Structures are given as structure tokens and as C-alpha cells.
Amino acid sequence: MKRLRGIMLSHRKNTENSATVDLPLPGRVRIPMAMTMGVACEPLVKAGDYVKVGQKIGDTDEAFAAPVHSGVSGTVAAVTEFRTVPGKICKMLEIDTDGLQTVSEEVKPPVITDRESFIKAVRESGACGLGGAGFPTHLKLSPKEKIDTLIINGAECEPYITADYREMIECPDDVIGGIRLLKDMLDIDRAILAIEANKPAAIKNFTEMADGDDSIDILTLPSIYPQGAEKVIIYNATGRIVREGEMPSQQGVIVINVSTAAFIYRYTRTGMPLVERRITVDGNAVGEPKNVRAVIGTPLREILEFCDTDIEHLRKLIAGGPMMGMSIPDIDLPVLKTSNALLALDHFDERETSACIRCGRCVRVCPLGLMPCDIDRAYKIRDIEELKRLKVRLCMNCGSCTFVCPANRKLAETNQLAKSLIPRDK
Amino acid sequence: MNKLVVSPSPHDENYTKTSDIMRDVLIALTPALIAATYIFGIRALLLTIVCILSCIAAEYICRRLMKRPNTIGDLSAAVTGMILAFNLPVTLPLPLAVLGSFIAIAVVKQLFGGLGQNFANPAITARIVLMVSFPAQMTRWALPFYYNEPSDVMTGPTPLVTHQAAYINLLLGKTTGCLGETCAIALILGGVYLIIRRVISPAAPLSFIGVLAALSAIAGEDPLYQILAGGVMLGAFFMATDYATTPVTTKGKLLFGAGCGLITFIIRNFGSYPEGVSFSILLMNILTPYIEQLTRAKVFGAKEAADE
């Protein structure tokens, strides 16, 4: 089997031994109506309404969406606006907390009898991919094709982030429970829990837990970034290649993030929807890097202050990892369902970009075998036919090409810009 | 509080810069320069310094005239100067070395857009221009250690003409030839350094040397002699691996090296020049865009044209 290429990164998992601590309840939370891929929800409450913990506060009839719940009890102060990552505006509920954390009567374990009721329950939980992509989970669970392998993604291949790792260490029973639940409800024969080699404690623990269960395999992935990318993990776990334009289900595979699987298991036991999550807080501006559990909607400022961050000298704030995370313009923006890490950096040296020397490093590291240096040239002259031939649309923006470029060319960014030149229809 | 910087991912980079790569090439060329200075005297060092300085000057002047950012800091002009000097006979008059440097940088490199844009190897093209324009000066091959000899005979034919040099002399560089090409051991040392540092891939040098040796053996010649004599080691490790003028993919590099080996063999055996390394690399430079088209990396999971 051909080994996919990638890059060696220093792991900087500084928080791997930091047990998750609960963030004190903020005075106000800001909960956007669009936190997953797909369509924004409409608010179900209005300013002045009283909401409780676990209460559904946003939903939509559109299929490509997941409902939104409140993680606090308190009064809706205002309905404002939020700009999502793709640049769309959605509504955002600002809720003043009352500190009582009264749990809503809506919160009760769902009644699950069959596949349909399970998928419906997953939708009602508000679940989405917690690894950062934020794809509504219930949509993954009802493919047309027969699925024979469930891959649980515990790669966590980006530097710094340990949120999934802490889930695996702190809640191993939920992880295994989630795997068995998904396997049983979706009638999948085999599950593979794939973990990158830099997490030996988790690998050892799960190998022991799954001992005697032939239907769950624990797979050690090499420490070559990006192991966690969907196509890469599917190939490394099963040898199957998800072809251009295909969904993983067309190869008989579903990939679910490890924290998502554990969350779904907990939801079926407690009925508490996705209202809080674990976030790794790290970066050189952070005085005390740690893993915190925060209510979704908590302003990032509260988290940064809790972790003794030098906000005065903050230069760059990243939601997610250093390779694929988004830089955040404002520290008062909220924690989202997809926020697996918050990196605060006190310096940012932008090196000047110089001419491509055609050293081929970008080609050498691309996991998909793309040629970023050629895409860069074709993009410059807007050669759309050439961009199609170079298959730029397959780029998953892992950032490896930019990372290794000695001329500091923003190749990954150029790939995304080049994608937008190609008409969608073909 | 500062204004936060917002930029696209990734937010991290490894810190190998273009100038680090070029510095590695300069380091890799140093053993051969030391050998050349020992074999051909202090003039070898002088000629190399003149070439490096005039290449840097040419780069600076060109960028200045074109009102473009100064790029001498990337050290690529210094590398060109050093490689050009290695391709010259130690007896070459200095003004010709300066002329060659300006041809390499101004004509071959900057007129085509500068670093990474030139299609032909600047040092090789400059060497060929000098060779065609000044054939007498470009073929006055000094004998090794001529500077110690009180004899009148200071020059002699190259090993590719005599076919009589001992292996040990070819390895150590105690032969006539361009100042940087004679000491095979020093060049191999530099090449191995670049391969270990992952600055160059071994693909092109190996296929170049391998194909030349194989064809020579088939033709009934001594393959070891053919690869040790002349400019093969210098060409294979330092010029057939030039980033801008050779293919990017491994398959392309193999093809490029093989083509160099074939053309060198043809010129040496059927051409009117005793040596063909320079021409072979230049000709393959011209073919590089086509090789690139033929050897594109296969994209993981891409639909082939037939599937669509």
C-alpha cells in the first residue's frame, strides 16, 4: 500500500496531562444560530424570554442543519448578528445568565427503538463533528449505501490540541459506548478507532478495553500530518480511496470524531444536548495552558482571562490548530460547537514572500499528490483549464505546502482562491 | 491591546528559507573549491571569487534597473557564480569570467524573470556562450600543480582526449579540466551532503550517471572512466539538480537525468566535442516543460479523464 505523504510537525501537546477544568459561568453568552456546516437556524425565543439549560433555542426545517440549544439559564437580552466563517450573517442570541443553571424539562433521555429514532435523536442533540469541521452528525448516519466500517477519528493530528485526547483519557467508557451504539444502531460490522502514535496512553487503554471484542480494532496512525483528514484516515484505516466527488459512504465508510461519538453516547443516557465542550487553550501568550470545559456561546475573552493570557500583547488568536485553524479578529466572539482549541500568540512575524524557486517541496509533502507550485502559476494567469487538470478542487487545505515553502508563498490559500475560479457545475 | 492579525491558515511555518537552501549549495561546493585551489593554485580561488562577485553585481544592477526588489540576499547569484567558475579553465582571463557572469545573470536569469523563472541553467549557458565565442581561451587546460613546475609546458589535453588518466587521479582531481570538475571525490561529498540535507533528490544524478555508465559499457568503453572523467559529477550533482530548470517530480527527474546521460554519451562518442555534459544539460533544460507535462504527479483519488 502506498504511503500518503505529509509533514513532520513538533506536537507541542503541552496540555496533554491537563485534566479538564470547568470554566466559571460567564455573565452573558452569545449563541450564534449557525455553528455547523449548512443552513442557519431561526431563533425559537425572543428578547425577554427566559431560557433554561438544554432548551432548544434555534431550529430550522432545512435538512442541512442541526438545532441549537442553550447551555445556561437566564434571560434573552437581545437578538444580534454573527458573521460565520464563510462570511454569511446569521442571528445570534445574547443571553444574560442567572447563575441558577435550571435544567429544562425538555432534557430527558431520548427513546430509541430503531435506526430512525436514533438518527432523529442525534439530530435533536444538536451534534456536529467536534473535531472542527462541524458537519451535522445525523446527516452522516443515513447513507444510501451499505456501510461496513465505522472509523472513529482520534488522530488529533494538529499541534497543541489535546481536546480529543482528554476525551479519550477522561471518558473512555463513553467513547467505547458511543462506538458500540453507532455500530449497533447503524448495523455496521466493524469499527476502527484510529489514534495517532503520539498518544500511547490512549492507544494502550483502548487496546485493553477492546480486548475480546473482535468488532472493534484500535489502529495506531503514524505521526505524519495530516492523519486526521477524512480521506487520509479512511485510506490508512481501510486502504480505500474516496474518489473525487464521492462521499465516504460510497466507499462503505463513515468517519465520526471520537469526541462526537462519546457525546452521542452521553446524550442517549442523559438527554443533555450539545451545550458545552472541551477546548484546549494554549499558545505563547497563555500563562496557564489548559483544557477547559466551556458553555457554548462563552465569549473567548473569558476563557483567555481564565487561562491567564497576556491580552495586552495578544497579536493573533486562532480557533483550532495552527495548521487549519481560523484566525479570530475579536476576542469577544463566542465559543462555537466546533471550537476544539484556542491558540493565543503574542507575536506574529510575517516573512516576506519571494519568488517560487521550484524546489518541489510542496509537491513532496502534499498528501493528495497535488502540485501547488504549478497551481500557483496557473492561478496567476487565471488558467482555469489548467487548474482543472491540476485537480485543485481536491485540495483539503491542510496547509502542508505553505508550511514547507522556503519562499513563504501562501500556496494553500492560493489553492482555495483557485478553487473559486472553477465553475461549480462540472 | 494590539489589533489582532487575521490571516489565512496555516499559522505556522518551518523556517527553511530560500537563502538557507542556497547556503547549503555553497557549503556543498566548498570541498571542490578547496581541492581546486590545491590542484590549480590560488588562481582557482581568485577566479571563483571574481565570478561570485560579478554575478552578485550583475544581479544587483539588473534588479536596480528593473526597479524590482533587491534579491542578492537569497544567495542564488552567489551559487551561480561559484558553479560558473567551476566550469571554467583556471587560466581564463578575468574579464572573460566577468563577461560570463553577466551573461549568466543578466541574460539567462533576469531577462526571463529572475529566480525560478529561467528555463536554462545560467552557469551552463554562460559556459557554452564563452566556449563558442572564445574557444582558444576556454580550452587552455592547465596541468595539475602547474604552478610548482618550472617547465614551459603548462597545459595539456583533458582525460577525455587522452583516455589515459589513472582512476586515482580522476578521483582526487589530479587531471586537466575545468577548475571545479576534476576532483570527483569532493563533488560526490558535496552531492551526498545535499542529498542528506534533502536539498536535492538523488534521482537525477543517479539516472544521469547510471545511464551514461550503462551506455558506455554497452559501447565497449570503460564505464567508470567515463563517469569520473570530465564534468559528469559536477553536472550530475550540481546542475542537473537545479530547481528552476529541471522537472519537479521524481519521475521527471529520472527522465531528465537519463536524457543527460544519453546526450552526453552521444556527444562524447559521435560529436565533435570531446565533452558533452554542458550541452546535454542545456538540451534537457529545453525539454523540461515537456517532461513536466508527461510526469505530473498522480493525484490521490482523482478521476481520470476516462472516468468522466
Side-chain angles (χ1 to χ4, degrees):
Chain A
M1 195 166 104
K2 204 185 107 187
R3 196 165 176 170
L4 296 184
R5 287 165 290 190
I7 51 176
M8 307 287 251
L9 295 170
S10 68
H11 300 299
R12 287 170 283 181
K13 304 276 189 185
N14 309 317
T15 53
E16 62 184 350
N17 295 319
S18 312
T20 314
V21 289
D22 284 308
L23 187 81
L25 194 67
R28 174 177 279 200
V29 293
R30 301 192 173 88
I31 306 178
M33 289 292 109
M35 289 189 277
T36 61
M37 265 190 217
V39 184
C41 293
E42 278 304 314
L44 302 176
V45 292
K46 55 187 188 305
D49 286 357
Y50 184 76
V51 297
K52 294 178 183 170
V53 178
Q55 182 181 335
K56 185 151 82 172
I57 54 172
D59 206 348
T60 170
D61 293 334
E62 299 279 345
F64 195 10
V68 179
H69 304 79
S70 172
V72 298
S73 64
T75 311
V76 179
V79 181
T80 54
E81 284 182 338
F82 175 76
R83 186 183 291 277
T84 64
V85 169
K88 286 189 190 136
I89 301 286
C90 73
K91 294 206 173 79
M92 175 160 76
L93 294 176
E94 309 229 356
I95 303 172
D96 285 330
T97 58
D98 63 4
L100 300 174
Q101 289 301 83
T102 317
V103 175
S104 164
E105 40 289 347
E106 288 173 22
V107 175
K108 49 180 184 283
V111 180
I112 296 170
T113 52
D114 57 359
R115 185 186 178 123
E116 265 58 51
S117 55
F118 174 68
I119 293 169
K120 189 162 169 290
V122 172
R123 184 193 182 278
E124 287 308 307
S125 75
C128 68
L130 295 178
F135 191 85
T137 305
H138 67 279
L139 296 176
K140 280 188 182 178
L141 305 183
S142 41
K144 296 192 293 286
E145 301 81 5
K146 166 72 186 153
I147 304 298
D148 60 22
T149 306
L150 169 70
I151 297 174
I152 301 296
N153 188 345
E156 200 157 51
C157 56
E158 283 237 33
Y160 292 107
I161 313 176
T162 59
D164 285 344
Y165 176 70
R166 291 311 304 176
E167 184 75 34
M168 291 190 274
I169 293 297
E170 292 171 24
C171 316
D173 294 328
D174 294 352
V175 171
I176 291 290
I179 295 172
R180 294 216 166 100
L181 180 69
L182 285 159
K183 221 159 56 63
D184 293 347
M185 294 318 300
L186 304 178
D187 195 20
I188 303 173
D189 297 331
R190 178 173 69 139
I192 300 171
L193 171 55
I195 306 171
E196 199 175 302
N198 62 359
K199 303 171 194 57
I203 294 168
K204 183 167 170 286
N205 189 19
F206 283 116
T207 306
E208 283 164 15
M209 287 176 78
D211 190 33
D213 185 345
D214 292 341
S215 67
I216 301 179
D217 290 331
I218 312 300
L219 176 71
T220 304
L221 299 168
S223 274
I224 299 170
Y225 177 85
Q227 288 301 313
E230 196 166 62
K231 284 183 183 183
V232 176
I233 203 168
I234 290 171
Y235 181 71
N236 286 341
T238 66
R240 294 177 202 170
I241 299 171
V242 178
R243 314 268 294 184
E244 192 174 357
E246 272 186 348
M247 299 292 285
S249 59
Q250 286 169 273
Q251 291 294 332
V253 179
I254 291 179
V255 184
I256 303 274
N257 167 271
V258 64
S259 295
T260 311
F263 162 75
I264 290 172
Y265 179 73
R266 277 195 296 274
Y267 175 72
T268 58
R269 307 308 288 284
T270 65
M272 181 57 77
L274 184 57
V275 294
E276 57 177 22
R277 68 156 301 145
R278 181 186 295 103
I279 304 162
T280 301
V281 189
D282 204 341
N284 55 16
V286 176
E288 291 176 44
K290 46 178 91 149
N291 279 295
V292 300
R293 188 177 293 110
V295 170
I296 287 160
T298 302
L300 300 177
R301 180 193 293 273
E302 308 252 355
I303 296 176
L304 294 172
E305 283 171 355
F306 182 70
C307 295
D308 192 23
T309 306
D310 184 3
I311 290 176
E312 190 59 33
H313 296 102
L314 191 61
R315 285 287 285 146
K316 196 169 195 183
L317 192 59
I318 302 160
M323 295 303 292
M324 291 188 73
M326 305 279 174
S327 57
I328 303 280
D330 182 356
I331 69 168
D332 289 313
L333 290 172
V335 169
L336 307 177
K337 288 179 180 180
T338 49
S339 311
N340 54 355
L342 188 59
L343 303 181
L345 306 177
D346 65 9
H347 70 276
F348 182 69
D349 312 316
E350 183 66 32
R351 260 208 292 134
E352 244 178 78
T353 294
S354 54
C356 170
I357 56 172
R358 294 192 69 69
C359 65
R361 279 169 173 74
C362 51
V363 181
R364 210 156 70 199
V365 301
C366 179
L368 301 184
L370 296 170
M371 301 186 72
C373 53
D374 285 4
I375 294 169
D376 193 22
R377 275 191 175 181
Y379 175 72
K380 214 168 174 179
I381 56 169
R382 302 290 189 271
D383 186 343
I384 292 172
E385 286 309 308
E386 178 75 349
L387 289 172
K388 280 187 190 167
R389 275 196 293 277
L390 289 164
K391 300 289 178 190
V392 65
R393 269 198 305 198
L394 288 172
C395 172
M396 52 197 184
N397 200 14
C398 72
S400 300
C401 47
T402 307
F403 183 87
V404 297
C405 182
N408 197 32
R409 300 187 73 75
K410 304 296 180 202
L411 298 165
E413 181 191 12
T414 304
N415 288 353
Q416 311 323 307
L417 294 169
K419 279 182 194 175
S420 67
L421 290 184
I422 300 175
R424 280 233 164 229
D425 49 289
K426 196 181 169 299
Chain B
M1 194 182 130
N2 297 307
K3 216 169 170 176
L4 293 181
V5 177
V6 177
S7 61
S9 63
H11 310 283
D12 202 355
E13 57 174 323
N14 82 346
Y15 289 90
T16 303
K17 301 192 289 285
T18 299
S19 55
D20 297 328
I21 293 170
M22 297 300 167
R23 189 174 300 115
D24 266 342
V25 180
L26 292 176
I27 291 169
L29 288 164
T30 303
L33 178 60
I34 294 169
T37 309
Y38 177 65
I39 296 161
F40 295 114
I42 199 74
R43 198 170 194 284
L45 184 63
L46 174 71
L47 194 66
T48 306
I49 291 171
V50 166
C51 282
I52 291 175
L53 291 180
S54 18
C55 277
I56 291 173
E59 176 107 344
Y60 179 79
I61 293 167
C62 286
R63 301 296 290 190
R64 191 72 194 262
L65 288 177
M66 294 190 295
K67 298 192 171 58
R68 292 190 176 199
N70 177 15
T71 49
I72 61 171
D74 66 27
L75 300 181
S76 64
V79 168
T80 300
M82 198 145 164
I83 293 179
L84 172 62
F86 280 24
N87 278 290
L88 302 174
V90 70
T91 56
L92 191 76
L94 295 181
L96 289 186
V98 175
L99 176 68
S101 301
F102 271 78
I103 291 167
I105 295 295
V107 180
V108 187
K109 184 179 172 192
Q110 290 298 340
L111 282 187
F112 286 89
L115 185 61
Q117 299 292 321
N118 50 299
F119 73 92
N121 186 305
I124 281 196
T125 314
R127 182 234 169 114
I128 289 172
V129 169
L130 289 177
M131 205 157 68
V132 176
S133 316
F134 307 96
Q137 290 91 329
M138 283 295 285
T139 49
R140 278 188 78 232
W141 309 114
L143 295 172
F145 308 110
Y146 71 97
Y147 55 94
N148 285 334
E149 304 285 328
S151 152
D152 290 341
V153 185
M154 276 173 40
T155 61
T158 65
L160 283 171
V161 175
T162 64
H163 290 282
Q164 275 168 3
Y167 288 144
I168 186 70
N169 287 346
L170 291 174
L171 278 169
L172 295 176
K174 285 161 69 180
T175 63
T176 53
C178 295
L179 72 90
E181 75 180 17
T182 63
C183 184
I185 280 187
L187 292 165
I188 293 169
L189 195 69
V192 169
Y193 171 78
L194 291 182
I195 290 166
I196 290 172
R197 297 277 293 160
R198 302 203 71 184
V199 170
I200 64 168
S201 142
L206 289 184
S207 71
F208 187 163
I209 294 167
V211 166
L212 179 61
L215 290 173
S216 303
I218 293 166
E221 290 160 10
D222 177 357
L224 192 59
Y225 192 91
Q226 286 295 316
I227 62 173
L228 290 178
V232 177
M233 292 299 162
L234 178 63
F237 285 108
F238 293 96
M239 300 191 286
T241 55
D242 176 43
Y243 289 151
T245 59
T246 69
V248 166
T249 60
T250 301
K251 230 188 274 174
K253 289 179 203 291
L254 287 171
L255 215 56
F256 183 93
C260 290
L262 173 68
I263 297 170
T264 302
F265 172 78
I266 291 172
I267 294 177
R268 280 185 179 181
N269 288 278
F270 309 109
S272 52
Y273 285 100
E275 174 60 305
V277 169
S278 301
F279 284 111
S280 77
I281 295 172
L282 181 62
L283 287 170
M284 291 310 290
N285 285 165
I286 294 167
L287 284 178
T288 291
Y290 303 97
I291 298 176
E292 298 250 51
Q293 290 290 331
L294 277 175
T295 58
R296 281 236 162 112
K298 193 178 172 330
V299 178
F300 181 78
K303 274 190 195 153
E304 302 306 320
D307 298 348
E308 284 182 20

